[in-house]
Amino acid sequence: MIVINHATNYRGETVTLELASDESSVIDASGLTLLPAVIDPHVHFRTPGMEYKEDWRTGAKAAIRGGCTTVFDMPNTKPPTFTVDLLRDKKALIDKQLKEVGIPLRYDLFFGADKHHLNQIPNAKGQVIGIKVFMGCSTGNLVIDDDESLHAVFKLAAQQNMLVAVHAEDEHLIQERKANYRGAMEYKAHSLLRDIEVATRAVEKAIALTERYGTRLYILHVSSAEEIALIKAAKQKGLPVFAEPTPHHLFFDTSQYDTLQGRAVVNPPLRDASHKEALFAAIKEGVIDTIGSDHAPHTQDEKAQGYGQCPSGMPGIEFMLPLLLDAHAKNLLTLDEVVSLTSKRARHIFALPEYEDWVLVDLENTA
C-alpha cells in the first residue's frame, strides 16, 4: 500500500490517501496539493507509421511528466485506424511499446470515419472511445467532406450510441481560400487561409446534424469566440454538445508567428488575442467542458520548412497542467475549474470507469 500523508486537496482540505499497491511506501506530502491525474482526450502519439516523430514509449513518458495517466489517441496514423483489424493491430503495437518502458498508461482510441469504410463503425462499438471525423484535412488523409457521408456517420453513431468527435473545419472553404489567396506565403497566412468562418461553418453543420440525429457531439480544439457562441446556443437548446479547447489556443495567439514561426502552425490556426479572453470566459460560464493537448509532434526539420511544406501540430501533453496551474496562479482559473477541465468533465462525458490516479503539485514552486 502507498500512503500519502498531509496532502492538501484542491478544496483546501488536509487529507491522507491510502492507495492499493504491491509496493509499500509512505509519502509525506506536506506543502503539496493533491489533484486527480490528468485525462487528456486528444493526443497523436503517431503509432503506427510515424514513429520517427513520436511513439507510445516517448509519449507515455511525456504524459506522466505532465501529470497525465489517461489519454485518447487519434486515428490519423499510417495506415489510419478505420477498420477493426487495423484497430486490433494498433492496440497490439501500443501495448508492446508501453510494456517496453514499464508505464501502465491508461488509454482509449478514437475510430477514424472514412467514407469508404463506414460499415466498420458498428463493428468498433465497445472497442473505441468514439468516432473521429475530420471535416477538414489535417495530418494524414482522413477527411469527410461530403454531406452524404457526414449524415451517414452521425446517423450510425446515434444508432450505436457512439460519441462523434469532430475536427470542425470546412474543407471546401479551405480549398477556396487557398485558390483565391494572393498574399505572401508566410506562416501567419495560415490564420487567414483557415479563418474563423472555416471553423464556424463546420461547427454549424455538426451541430445541425446532432440536432437531427441526437448524436453526442464533442467539438475538438475550439479556438474562437464565434465557435463558443454557436456551442453555447446548442447547449441552451439542450443538445448533447461538448467543447474542448487546447493549451495553445488558450495561451498563444497570432503574435507567436513572429517568434515560433513554423512551430506555431496548427489546425485550426492560432487566433488573435481577443479569442483567448473569450475561451477563458467560456470556461467560467461552463460552455467549455474539457481541455485536450492535441499533442501532435513533428521533427524540428519538418517544422523548420517554409509555409506550405511545414506540417501542422505542436506537442503539449507535458505542459498542459503546468500552464493551467500558472493560469490559476494568475487568478484566471480556480483549482476547481482546473480539475473540471482536466478530469471531472471528461469522466462524465466519456463514461469512464472509476479509478484513483493522483498527481501531487507544488503550487508555490515558480521555477
Side-chain angles (χ1 to χ4, degrees), residues 230-263:
L230 293 169
I231 293 164
K232 183 176 181 179
K235 285 175 176 276
Q236 289 172 341
K237 284 185 176 181
L239 297 177
V241 175
F242 310 101
E244 172 211 281
T246 68
H248 42 273
H249 289 113
L250 278 172
F251 297 103
F252 289 171
D253 57 64
T254 50
S255 67
Q256 262 71 51
Y257 285 119
D258 291 336
T259 53
L260 296 180
Q261 299 186 312
R263 288 172 291 169

Side-chain angles (χ1 to χ4, degrees), residues 21-184:
S21 175
D22 293 336
E23 298 181 13
S24 180
S25 63
V26 177
I27 298 172
D28 182 2
S30 300
L32 301 179
T33 299
L34 186 73
L35 302 176
V38 172
I39 298 165
D40 190 341
H42 190 169
V43 304
H44 300 264
F45 279 176
R46 303 307 192 197
T47 294
M50 293 182 281
E51 285 89 347
Y52 72 95
K53 300 175 190 277
E54 176 80 284
D55 63 22
W56 283 74
R57 290 167 290 216
T58 54
K61 290 177 183 178
I64 294 300
R65 285 182 65 88
C68 174
T69 62
T70 302
V71 299
F72 303 159
D73 189 62
M74 292 299 166
N76 53 328
T77 48
K78 292 183 179 179
T81 314
F82 53 52
T83 71
V84 290
D85 288 342
L86 290 167
L87 179 68
R88 181 198 62 234
D89 293 345
K90 181 174 179 176
K91 286 182 176 180
L93 282 171
I94 291 169
D95 292 342
K96 179 176 180 291
Q97 291 176 5
L98 290 177
K99 185 177 181 180
E100 287 175 6
V101 290
I103 298 176
L105 188 69
R106 303 180 195 271
Y107 74 88
D108 259 299
L109 303 179
F110 277 98
F111 196 70
D114 177 78
K115 64 182 70 177
H116 304 297
H117 296 86
L118 297 184
N119 64 328
Q120 291 283 313
I121 288 174
N123 300 332
K125 182 178 180 179
Q127 301 183 56
V128 294
I129 201 68
I131 305 164
K132 173 67 177 287
V133 174
F134 287 89
M135 299 174 75
C137 283
S138 192
T139 300
N141 57 3
L142 275 178
V143 64
I144 300 286
D145 57 358
D146 67 284
D147 287 349
E148 182 180 357
S149 297
L150 274 175
H151 276 263
V153 172
F154 274 73
K155 185 177 180 179
L156 270 171
Q159 290 171 344
Q160 300 297 324
N161 192 27
M162 296 173 73
L163 176 142
V164 169
V166 294
H167 178 124
E169 290 189 287
D170 187 279
E171 181 63 17
H172 298 289
L173 269 186
I174 294 171
Q175 297 307 321
E176 181 182 294
R177 297 284 191 273
K178 288 181 178 179
N180 295 329
Y181 184 69
R182 297 292 180 267

Side-chain angles (χ1 to χ4, degrees), residues 224-340:
S224 68
E226 287 84 347
E227 292 165 83
I228 289 295
L230 293 169
I231 293 164
K232 183 176 181 179
K235 285 175 176 276
Q236 289 172 341
K237 284 185 176 181
L239 297 177
V241 175
F242 310 101
E244 172 211 281
T246 68
H248 42 273
H249 289 113
L250 278 172
F251 297 103
F252 289 171
D253 57 64
T254 50
S255 67
Q256 262 71 51
Y257 285 119
D258 291 336
T259 53
L260 296 180
Q261 299 186 312
R263 288 172 291 169
V265 175
V266 292
N267 295 333
L270 300 179
R271 311 299 187 189
D272 69 58
S274 65
H275 294 282
K276 294 190 296 184
E277 297 175 14
L279 292 175
F280 275 102
I283 294 171
K284 298 289 183 184
E285 293 177 18
V287 178
I288 282 174
D289 297 279
T290 62
I291 186 167
S293 69
D294 195 7
H295 178 84
H298 299 283
T299 68
Q300 293 187 49
D301 287 344
E302 287 173 326
K303 294 297 279 183
Q305 294 178 102
Y307 183 63
Q309 300 300 315
C310 166
S312 295
M314 66 171 64
I317 195 170
E318 192 169 338
F319 314 111
M320 184 163 68
L321 181 59
L323 284 169
L324 293 173
L325 293 176
D326 184 63
H328 164 66
K330 295 173 179 175
N331 296 315
L332 294 172
L333 296 172
T334 66
L335 272 186
D336 191 65
E337 286 164 343
V338 172
V339 170
S340 183

